[in-house]
Amino acid sequence: MSKVLQLRSERAELNTKLQALAKIEAEGGSLNAEQLTEFTSLETQIADLSAKITRAEAAEKAAALAAVPVDEGAQGAQSPPAGRVEGPFTPKPVPGMKAGQMVRLLAAAQGNQQVAAQMAKDGNFPVDVHMALSTVTPGAGGVLVPTNMAAEVIEALRPVAVLRRMGVTSLPLVNGNLTMPRITGNTVVTYIGTETDIPVTGMTFGDTKLSAKKAAALVPVSNDLIRVQGVNPRADAIAANDLVTSMGLSQDLHFIRSDGSGDLPKGLRHWAIPQHVVPAPSTATPTLQQIDLFLGGLMLRIESANVVMNSCGWLMNPRTLRWLQSLRDGNGNKAYPEIEQTLLKGYPVGLTNQIPVNLGDDGDESEIYFVNFADMMIGEDMDIILDFSKEAAYQVGGQWVSSFQRDQTLVRAIARHDFGPRHVECIAVGIGVKWGAGM
């Protein structure tokens, strides 16, 4: 461990003790003489460590600037023999791995962050995991995941949540709210004759308001996995995946199709204006010309709104894409060969089973979305709350399961976020899609 990281870790431990004393007065109590002396001593030690850290950082920087490669001598740098690749090598970090380590340690410590921090220190976990656990704050009976870990979890969600993968913009929610102004009407410039009054024009504005909605996931984690000692990449990856999968699938479900009622966010389907909701050809086996006109019509709705098309893409159920992939023209050639590269009419396709295939009166319809994803926003409160229990029960398919009997620890993850577009004209929805219903 570098000297700087060691000093930072010592300072974090002292700060924890200092905050505990400060909390006594914050809650209306008073410090006795011994506690006041300890408080003053902690202040002095923290100040001394901060000065040492500054000097150690300067020394490390100077050492790095003065370093000479080991293969460099009087004759200059010596190249390695052809065909040989030299190390040492640093493994590429896996998104969500440190968050998974934090979940595993907190679960083993039953949510006690100080015990988890000591376990991280004794188990040779990365220093930033130890420091995060040392300074993490309890809230409402749970543990608030620090911002750096929360950002890592959100990054790990991208492969799971198709909307994030398609390039939706993520923004912080300050105090749980965000208002984004948007232009709803532009000025108009026209030509006039000589000695003619210039017509008055103006702009109109609107707002997209995001307010934090609470999303929760209950994740059973095997106690055998929690008992794995030390840093184990496979165990940590499983813990991270357990944490993010349910959250990612829930976000897709609500950000795509939720109607915004009650405590739910409003999804793409209900943000779309009526003019941009287009019925598909009514037959289950339309002609290629009908399909092409329908898909082109969805694209035209976005183009007619003067949307920059660089970040557009499709969302659909896998059933729909596989049916389009099987289409042939009159010569037997694939109608949309670019589907092999997960493209349709030149734009990327996101597949998700969170778009149903059992809509409509006969339960055989689905939907297709064409969206400018750069204009979509996910507002996020970066604090994720984790709670742990080895005794609680949970339901699976209507059946109650005892975590104690199954030798599991339940991890409850709660996050706060909302979803909305800057411009509602950037969403087009095809409804009544029966293609592939017989596959």
Side-chain angles (χ1 to χ4, degrees), residues 6-19 42 46 49 114 117-118 121 130-131 134-135:
Q6 181 182 344
L7 292 171
R8 286 176 179 170
S9 178
E10 292 175 8
R11 185 174 61 179
E13 292 178 359
L14 294 175
N15 182 61
T16 300
K17 296 177 182 178
L18 185 73
Q19 295 304 320
L42 287 170
I46 290 173
L49 280 174
Q114 298 305 325
Q118 189 61 46
K121 187 175 182 179
H130 168 221
M131 292 180 64
S134 297
T135 57

Side-chain angles (χ1 to χ4, degrees), residues 106-418:
L106 281 168
Q110 285 289 284
N112 186 318
Q113 67 268 25
Q114 298 305 325
V115 174
Q118 189 61 46
M119 292 170 63
K121 187 175 182 179
D122 296 341
N124 295 320
F125 283 78
V127 174
D128 47 356
V129 174
H130 168 221
M131 292 180 64
L133 288 166
S134 297
T135 57
V136 73
T137 306
V143 174
L144 292 178
V145 179
T147 300
N148 62 324
M149 295 294 176
E152 189 181 50
V153 171
I154 291 169
E155 174 65 26
L157 273 176
R158 293 187 182 275
V160 179
V162 66
L163 270 175
R164 292 180 180 273
R165 194 168 65 243
M166 297 298 286
V168 174
T169 301
S170 177
L171 298 170
L173 290 181
V174 180
N175 297 323
N177 294 280
L178 177 68
T179 299
M180 290 288 291
R182 57 190 175 91
I183 299 173
T184 58
N186 294 306
T187 55
V188 177
V189 177
T190 186
Y191 291 91
I192 59 175
T194 305
E195 298 183 358
T196 302
D197 292 338
I198 300 174
V200 177
T201 185
M203 301 177 69
T204 57
F205 299 88
D207 290 327
T208 295
K209 296 183 179 180
L210 303 181
S211 59
K213 311 293 192 303
K214 183 167 70 173
L218 193 64
V219 183
V221 180
S222 167
N223 286 333
D224 290 332
L225 178 67
I226 294 172
R227 296 184 191 108
V228 174
Q229 296 296 316
V231 181
N232 188 307
R234 287 177 293 179
D236 296 326
I238 292 172
N241 289 337
D242 282 348
L243 175 66
V244 304
T245 298
S246 297
M247 294 174 65
L249 294 177
S250 176
Q251 285 188 17
D252 270 358
L253 176 64
H254 292 94
F255 292 170
I256 295 174
R257 301 204 74 255
S258 179
D259 62 6
S261 61
D263 297 323
L264 300 176
K266 185 189 290 188
L268 293 170
R269 176 65 182 85
H270 296 276
W271 276 113
I273 58 178
Q275 306 93 294
H276 285 204
V277 180
V278 184
S282 56
T283 176
T285 55
T287 65
L288 183 55
Q289 182 182 16
Q290 289 175 316
I291 295 167
D292 222 35
L293 285 172
F294 169 69
L295 296 176
L298 293 176
M299 299 171 66
L300 182 61
R301 297 307 193 278
I302 307 296
E303 291 170 326
S304 298
N306 297 317
V307 173
V308 178
M309 304 287 285
N310 293 342
S311 300
C312 289
W314 304 89
L315 292 177
M316 63 185 70
N317 187 282
R319 184 192 80 176
T320 304
L321 185 75
R322 296 309 159 210
W323 189 85
L324 289 170
Q325 187 180 32
S326 68
L327 284 181
R328 298 292 188 273
D329 61 19
N331 297 320
N333 300 314
K334 290 184 177 181
Y336 300 106
E338 69 270 27
I339 287 180
E340 302 296 336
Q341 285 75 47
T342 324
L343 297 173
L344 180 60
K345 288 188 168 291
Y347 292 96
V349 180
L351 299 179
T352 174
N353 285 308
Q354 302 298 62
I355 298 177
V357 291
N358 59 351
L359 303 173
D361 294 337
D362 297 327
D364 60 352
E365 296 179 0
S366 188
E367 296 168 340
I368 294 178
Y369 294 76
F370 188 71
V371 180
N372 176 29
F373 289 102
D375 212 70
M376 304 298 113
M377 301 180 296
I378 298 177
E380 297 181 291
D381 185 333
M382 296 292 285
D383 291 331
I384 298 174
I385 302 175
L386 299 179
D387 292 282
F388 305 86
S389 174
K390 290 185 178 180
E391 293 79 28
Y394 59 99
Q395 280 191 330
V396 176
Q399 300 295 319
W400 283 100
V401 178
S402 167
S403 60
F404 184 81
Q405 188 174 13
R406 289 282 180 92
D407 191 25
Q408 295 173 333
T409 293
L410 290 184
V411 180
R412 187 179 67 188
I414 296 177
R416 286 158 39 90
H417 45 245
D418 199 8

